[in-house]
């Protein structure tokens, strides 16, 4: 099994219950009846199955509300694990997470570079094996491997889209490569593929970063800019995986030509690479940010992080360039919010891990003029795990596809919200 | 097929209860600093998050047996720390991030100087009755900061928290509703400070007019709080770079000089002012 998880069949009622438990954090059987609409005997049977499979454990009691005390259920976090791989030109990041999507181990290794895909795949398989050994988890508890990269997933189970479109420029030798099948053969584990921004959004969803929002997005900034959408609890992938290309929202019809072929894309005008180029064109700013001089090669992400640290130290040029970039990014984010009626926007990715405190207030400000403002605000937050978001999302991809296959339709978010509020109150 | 990164990884185990979210920014920036030094030498940091020291020690034994790492970065050195002896027994070279035991190579933080700087900022504004909500008392740097605080010429109150938001809120409320509330509170991390700020505001106190607050570990949380928190700021990335430098020396078999981080500085924002 691999390929876009959207091709999964209808979820079983067992996985609906498991997902309700995941979403709530802790929940009673009565809460599950309310959240899923299933009958008490059905919930009782399904919960027993989940406990027998070790996926769910009973954990203490909710405060009594008159009747008998309710037993609370939660995911058994240490019962299953997943490996997430963020495959990129400059660096490959691995995360091993538990069932709840919490990082148990992480390592970054040299990127795919110009190596042949087949060679890189062999290396990824050995590095995954070492990561699993290093954590000391039995192999049978590993559900599989999610791999994400800066580009669309092409059916069947490969990377790509037509030549020279879709994939970020540095990754084009991967076009059409059947990554899923190749890695499954070498690694001996199920493999699921996705785009890195979409995965980052799924990671937020799985770990609770979107709360109960019906329309939520992750704004991912690494080398480029992307967005992932989770609508009614389901990741939106579009028919060809070419979704959420926020970096290629044009903010100037007469702007400079972008690598994608269009003009005035926000990524070309104000993405991390544009910020780094602007700093590097100014020798004083380059020195102030401590960027390595021409000789030493360094990545856009590393340079952008150095510029962010300089801004935090109060370097005016670095701060001004980041604030300018943030206004552009906020403008594109407002377009996304207006198109999708967003309730939550989470800022994530390594570049926002570094510069989030500059971007957050500015993006928030830009979203105050979103169309939905008469009805609801757009809640803009920083991800709790921005630096490793894509690799965590890659792991969440396998957790979701193995345990809660998509397609079970909109979930009763308002019941879960209610349940969560009550539990928070009774826990304090 | 070769042995993946065996012979090229440096291990770092973070032992912390799972509920302590929010420690990510500090450690990810610290690790990015280490990685920046190691990357040029084809080396990586293997981060492993566990719940407690026993699991941490089990990881060291596993890694030594599998020859998975060349060296260890030991974080959060504690009182009666069992880990250095285990690492010696396993012959795993180690660099301590913080106060070393015996003659272990270390990159140290100037906890005494930093605590004095925090107090000097508050005393300079006119504060005398100053409380501090600490991290776990088992950590060496918590004790060092406490000793430095009690030696200073202020009316000090020290209460022990555990880095969690919950402890920050609860202890702030207890201090502020006590018989002699402090005019300033220092927190040992960012999570407790942000929660403490909320708790103080909920009790009807105006910050900083009624009580000044200083957070430790400058992070987005502090910068984005309302009002923005005054913090003690360490250059975490360069702390990581120094550790990376020491690790490279250690692996090469050279002598490793003891390194010190620069003394932390006060970043004055909106939560400190003269007492009422
Ligand atoms: Zn474009």
């Amino acid at each position: 099994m691999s390929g876009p998880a959207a091709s999964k069949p209808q979820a079983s009622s067992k996985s609906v219950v498991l997902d309700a438990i995941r979403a709530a954090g802790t929940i009673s059987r009565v809460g599950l009846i309310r959240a899923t609409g299933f009958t008490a005997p059905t919930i009782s049977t399904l919960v027993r199955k989940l406990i027998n499979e070790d996926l769910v454990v009973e954990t203490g009691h909710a405060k009594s509300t008159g009747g008998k005390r309710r037993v609370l259920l939660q995911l058994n976090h240490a019962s299953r694990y997943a490996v997430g791989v963020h495959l990129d030109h400059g660096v490959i990041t691995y995360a091993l997470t538990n069932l709840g999507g919490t990082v148990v181990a992480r390592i970054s290794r040299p990127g795919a570079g110009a190596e042949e895909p087949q060679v890189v795949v062999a290396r990824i398989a050995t590095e995954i094996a070492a990561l699993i050994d290093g954590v000391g988890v039995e192999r049978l508890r590993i559900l599989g491997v999610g791999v994400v990269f800066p580009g669309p997933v092409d059916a069947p189970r490969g990377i790509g889209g037509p030549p020279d479109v879709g994939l970020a420029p540095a990754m084009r030798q991967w076009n059409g490569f059947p990554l899923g099948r190749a890695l499954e053969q070498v690694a001996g584990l199920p493999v699921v593929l996705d785009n890195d921004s979409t995965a980052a959004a799924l990671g937020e969803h799985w770990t609770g970063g979107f709360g109960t929002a019906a329309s939520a997005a992750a704004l991912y900034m690494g080398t480029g800019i992307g967005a992932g959408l989770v609508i009614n609890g389901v990741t939106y992938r579009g028919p060809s995986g070419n979704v959420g290309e926020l970096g290629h929202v044009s903010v100037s019809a007469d702007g400079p030509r972008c690598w994608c072929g269009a003009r005035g894309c926000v990524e070309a005008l104000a993405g991390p690479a544009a910020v780094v180029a602007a700093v590097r064109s100014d020798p004083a700013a380059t020195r102030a940010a401590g960027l390595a001089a021409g000789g030493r090669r360094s990545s856009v992400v590393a340079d952008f992080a150095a510029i962010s640290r300089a801004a935090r130290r109060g370097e005016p040029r670095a701060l001004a360039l980041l604030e300018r970039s943030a206004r552009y990014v906020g403008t594109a984010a407002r377009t996304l919010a207006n198109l999708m009626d967003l309730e939550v926007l989470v800022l994530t990715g390594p570049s926002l891990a570094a510069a989030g405190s500059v971007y957050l207030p500015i993006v928030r400000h830009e979203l105050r003029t979103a169309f939905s403002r008469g009805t609801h605000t757009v809640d803009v937050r920083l991800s709790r795990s921005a630096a490793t978001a894509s690799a965590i999302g890659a792991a969440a991809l396998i957790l979701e596809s193995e345990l809660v296959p998509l397609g079970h339709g909109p979930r009763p978010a308002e019941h879960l919200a209610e349940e969560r509020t009550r539990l928070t109150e009774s826990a304090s | 097929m070769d042995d993946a990164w065996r012979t090229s990884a440096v291990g770092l185990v973070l032992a912390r209860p799972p509920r302590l979210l929010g420690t990510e920014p500090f450690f990810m920036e610290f690790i990015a600093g280490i990685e920046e030094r190691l990357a040029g030498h084809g080396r990586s940091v293997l981060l492993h998050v566990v719940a407690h020291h026993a699991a941490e020690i089990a990881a060291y034994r596993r890694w030594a047996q599998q020859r998975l790492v060349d060296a260890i970065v030991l974080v959060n050195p504690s009182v009666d720390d069992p880990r250095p002896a285990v690492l010696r027994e396993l012959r795993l070279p180690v660099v301590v991030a913080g106060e070393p035991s015996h003659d272990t190579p270390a990159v140290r933080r100037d906890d005494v100087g930093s605590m004095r700087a925090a107090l000097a900022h508050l005393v300079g504004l006119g504060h005398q009755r100053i409380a501090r909500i600490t991290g776990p008392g088992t950590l060496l740097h918590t004790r060092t900061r406490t000793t430095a605080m009690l030696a200073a010429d202020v009316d000090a109150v020290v209460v022990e928290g555990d880095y969690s938001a919950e402890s920050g809120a609860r202890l702030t409320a207890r201090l502020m509703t006590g018989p002699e509330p402090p005019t300033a509170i220092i927190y040992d991390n960012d999570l407790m400070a942000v929660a403490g700020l909320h708790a103080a505001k909920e009790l009807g106190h105006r910050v900083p007019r009624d009580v000044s607050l200083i957070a430790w570990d400058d992070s987005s949380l502090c910068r984005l709080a309302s009002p923005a928190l005054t913090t003690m700021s360490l250059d975490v990335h360069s702390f990581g770079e120094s550790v990376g430098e020491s690790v490279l020396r250690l692996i090469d078999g050279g002598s490793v000089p003891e390194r010190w981080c620069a003394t932390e500085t006060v970043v004055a924002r909106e939560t400190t002012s003269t007492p009422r």
Side-chain angles (χ1 to χ4, degrees):
Chain A
M1 56 128 307
S2 77
S7 61
K8 289 276 157 191
Q10 284 292 111
S12 68
S13 37
K14 193 174 75 185
S15 53
V16 171
V17 172
L18 185 66
D19 203 39
I21 296 171
R22 176 202 60 74
T26 56
I27 190 168
S28 67
R29 285 173 177 78
V30 174
L32 280 173
I33 293 167
R34 215 175 292 143
T36 62
F38 295 153
T39 62
T42 307
I43 287 295
S44 166
T45 309
L46 293 173
V47 166
R48 197 179 323 118
K49 274 189 190 163
L50 289 167
I51 290 174
N52 286 342
E53 286 175 40
D54 215 20
L55 288 166
V56 166
V57 286
E58 294 187 335
T59 168
H61 296 80
K63 204 194 245 172
S64 170
T65 45
K68 68 172 182 179
R69 299 203 305 164
R70 294 175 184 173
V71 179
L72 290 177
L73 303 158
Q74 69 172 36
L75 292 187
N76 182 8
H77 291 270
S79 66
R80 303 286 195 285
Y81 296 85
V83 177
V85 182
H86 184 208
L87 170 64
D88 206 349
H89 177 71
V91 62
I92 302 176
T93 305
Y94 300 83
L96 192 147
T97 76
N98 65 19
L99 183 57
T102 301
V103 173
V104 175
R106 174 200 184 273
I107 191 165
S108 282
R109 296 293 297 155
E115 276 184 298
E116 281 301 307
Q118 200 57 254
V119 176
V120 177
V121 163
R123 172 156 71 87
I124 290 175
T126 35
E127 293 183 340
I128 288 171
L131 189 67
I132 295 170
D133 288 352
V135 171
V137 175
E138 306 126 85
R139 192 103 175 161
L140 57 92
R141 289 188 186 274
I142 307 282
L143 289 171
V145 182
V147 186
V148 303
F149 43 85
V153 180
D154 190 25
R157 317 177 37 198
I159 287 185
D164 294 343
V165 185
L167 273 181
M171 293 287 292
R172 282 182 188 153
Q173 79 270 27
W174 289 78
N175 254 327
F177 180 75
L179 175 62
R181 197 171 58 227
L183 184 58
E184 251 172 26
Q185 274 166 6
V186 206
L189 286 164
V191 173
V192 180
L193 308 179
D194 213 334
N195 164 273
D196 54 3
S197 308
T198 301
L202 175 61
E204 285 301 328
H205 167 65
W206 192 266
T207 57
F210 287 146
T212 52
S215 178
L219 193 166
Y220 183 88
M221 221 163 85
T223 304
I225 302 172
L229 295 166
V230 175
I231 307 300
N232 290 324
V234 178
T235 316
Y236 181 69
R237 291 187 172 83
S240 70
N242 286 290
V243 70
E245 290 294 348
L246 190 70
H248 304 281
V249 166
S250 179
V251 286
S252 166
D254 307 319
R257 183 78 69 185
C258 174
W259 63 263
C260 75
R263 279 195 183 278
C265 297
V266 65
E267 185 173 307
L269 277 163
V275 172
V276 170
V279 170
R280 282 197 175 278
S281 71
D282 175 345
T286 303
R287 269 193 309 278
L291 297 191
R296 226 177 83 197
R297 262 199 59 65
S298 76
S299 69
V300 167
V301 171
D303 281 356
F304 186 82
I307 294 165
S308 306
R309 292 195 297 276
R312 256 187 262 160
R313 286 194 302 269
E315 295 291 344
R317 179 83 179 123
L319 183 60
L321 283 166
L322 291 180
E323 286 175 343
R324 174 185 174 277
S325 163
R327 283 195 302 277
Y328 275 87
V329 171
T331 303
R334 186 174 53 230
T335 299
L336 183 68
N338 284 341
L339 290 174
M340 301 308 301
D341 192 8
L342 289 183
E343 291 169 300
V344 175
L345 179 70
V346 171
L347 306 185
T348 192
S351 292
L352 285 168
S357 60
V358 175
Y359 281 72
L360 183 76
I362 294 173
V363 173
R364 252 182 205 161
H365 180 81
E366 291 294 336
L367 287 181
R368 270 183 209 139
T369 46
F371 266 80
S372 57
R373 63 180 178 268
T375 316
H376 63 84
T377 54
V378 185
D379 185 1
V380 187
R381 310 174 190 160
L382 282 184
S383 171
R384 282 192 301 242
S385 44
T388 317
S390 276
I392 295 170
L397 207 58
I398 204 85
L399 295 170
E400 187 189 59
S401 74
E402 290 286 310
L403 299 172
V404 189
L406 294 183
H408 52 70
R411 289 164 324 150
E414 64 280 11
H415 294 312
L416 284 178
E418 205 177 276
E419 180 73 8
R420 184 178 289 178
T421 314
R422 279 194 316 105
L423 288 169
T424 314
E425 282 163 2
S426 63
S428 57
Chain B
M1 213 155 288
D2 68 337
D3 272 349
W5 70 71
R6 289 170 216 268
T7 75
S8 64
V10 172
L12 191 161
V13 183
L14 192 52
R16 61 168 190 202
R19 76 199 148 78
L20 278 191
L21 287 166
T23 47
E24 204 236 15
F26 181 93
F27 276 100
M28 291 318 295
E29 190 152 331
F30 177 64
I31 288 167
I34 305 176
E35 282 176 334
E36 191 159 309
R37 274 284 171 274
L38 299 189
H41 298 76
R43 294 181 179 277
S44 306
V45 177
L46 171 59
L47 168 70
H48 186 16
V49 186
V50 299
H52 42 67
H53 276 178
E56 178 173 349
I57 286 169
Y60 294 147
R61 294 192 183 283
R62 196 165 57 241
W63 291 352
Q65 196 200 358
Q66 297 171 348
R67 298 180 190 284
L68 201 64
V69 299
D70 282 353
I72 297 291
V73 173
L74 186 90
V75 297
N76 290 332
S78 62
V79 182
D80 299 325
D81 200 330
R83 299 171 297 167
V86 173
L87 291 169
R88 267 196 303 280
E89 171 210 322
L90 296 170
R91 296 178 193 286
L92 280 172
V94 58
V95 171
V96 177
E99 289 176 47
S101 62
H102 306 292
D103 52 355
T104 317
V107 179
R108 305 190 58 173
R109 293 171 68 160
D110 181 11
D111 292 305
V112 173
S114 302
M115 179 51 73
R116 285 183 187 148
L119 292 172
H121 175 69
L122 291 172
V123 170
L125 289 168
H127 294 274
Q128 259 308 302
R129 185 159 175 79
I130 301 172
R132 172 163 151 265
I133 299 178
T134 74
T138 51
L139 297 178
L140 285 181
H141 75 265
T142 303
R143 296 208 174 180
T144 306
R145 285 180 193 172
T146 300
T147 308
M149 186 170 183
L150 296 177
D153 188 20
V154 295
D155 181 8
V157 182
V158 178
V159 292
E160 186 179 333
D162 63 5
Y163 286 150
S164 70
E166 184 277 323
S167 72
R170 177 171 43 82
L171 295 170
T172 300
R174 199 211 285 170
L175 286 167
M176 295 310 294
T177 53
E180 277 182 279
T183 62
I185 306 176
I186 300 172
Y187 298 84
D188 267 5
N189 77 347
D190 50 355
L191 275 184
M192 293 194 297
V194 172
L197 172 61
H198 285 300
K201 287 199 295 190
E202 262 176 32
L203 287 169
H205 296 293
R206 281 159 302 175
V207 178
R209 193 168 171 267
D210 300 337
V211 59
S212 287
L213 308 179
I214 297 187
W216 222 288
D217 294 339
D218 192 13
S219 71
S220 299
L221 283 179
C222 300
R223 294 188 286 269
L224 297 169
S226 176
L229 275 155
T230 295
T231 65
M232 298 306 295
S233 175
L234 172 73
D235 185 341
V236 180
H237 193 268
S238 78
F239 182 22
E241 286 183 77
S242 299
V243 169
E245 199 67 49
S246 290
V247 165
L248 287 174
R249 285 247 196 164
L250 186 69
I251 292 171
D252 286 348
S255 68
V256 185
E258 184 172 75
R259 291 183 162 82
W260 284 80
C261 293
T263 303
E264 285 152 60
T265 51
V266 179
V267 180
R269 295 203 182 92
E270 299 161 1
T271 58
T272 44
S273 70
T274 50
R276 188 154 47 119

